[in-house]
């Protein structure tokens, strides 16, 4: 998400508007490594959001991330525009 939101509520509001949209989550995997996962934003909850993963690339179906992960830049979320 460009121009990162500065509060958890702000992040959740932005994601609420994008439920059902395709996205890519880039996660820090230590030592300058990152992992990319593609999927669809499925649901948002008070503390976490759930992504249905692309089954061609992933062995599990869904994953959840916390809004805190976005705030602390542990993950980056990019929507397909």
């Amino acid at each position: 998400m460009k121009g990162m939101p500065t509060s958890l509520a702000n992040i959740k509001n932005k994601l609420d508007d994008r439920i059902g949209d395709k996205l890519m989550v880039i996660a820090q995997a230590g030592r300058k490594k990152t992992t990319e996962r593609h999927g669809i934003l499925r649901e948002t909850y008070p503390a976490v959001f759930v992504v249905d993963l692309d089954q061609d690339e992933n062995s599990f179906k869904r994953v959840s991330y916390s809004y805190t992960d976005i705030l602390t830049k542990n993950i980056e979320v990019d929507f397909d525009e």
Side-chain angles (χ1 to χ4, degrees):
M1 284 190 292
K2 306 290 178 249
M4 286 310 297
T6 52
S7 76
L8 297 178
N10 203 328
I11 291 168
K12 182 179 186 304
N13 288 340
K14 281 194 182 327
L15 291 178
D16 285 344
D17 292 340
R18 304 302 299 260
I19 289 174
D21 289 356
K22 286 187 169 191
L23 54 74
M24 176 176 67
V25 178
I26 304 154
Q28 300 303 319
R31 289 203 166 217
K32 298 187 174 142
K33 287 192 190 125
T34 58
T35 59
E36 287 184 5
R37 292 202 176 118
H38 297 86
I40 294 173
L41 180 59
R42 188 52 62 209
E43 294 176 83
T44 58
Y45 294 100
V48 299
F49 60 98
V50 177
V51 176
D52 280 348
L53 295 173
D54 183 333
Q55 289 306 287
D56 296 339
E57 355 176 296
N58 297 281
S59 52
F60 38 97
K61 285 187 165 51
R62 39 181 27 190
V63 65
S64 65
Y65 297 98
S66 75
Y67 305 118
T68 309
D69 285 333
I70 294 177
L71 201 59
T72 59
K73 298 184 170 43
N74 280 338
I75 65 168
E76 199 179 307
V77 176
D78 269 337
F79 286 94
D80 296 351
E81 295 306 336

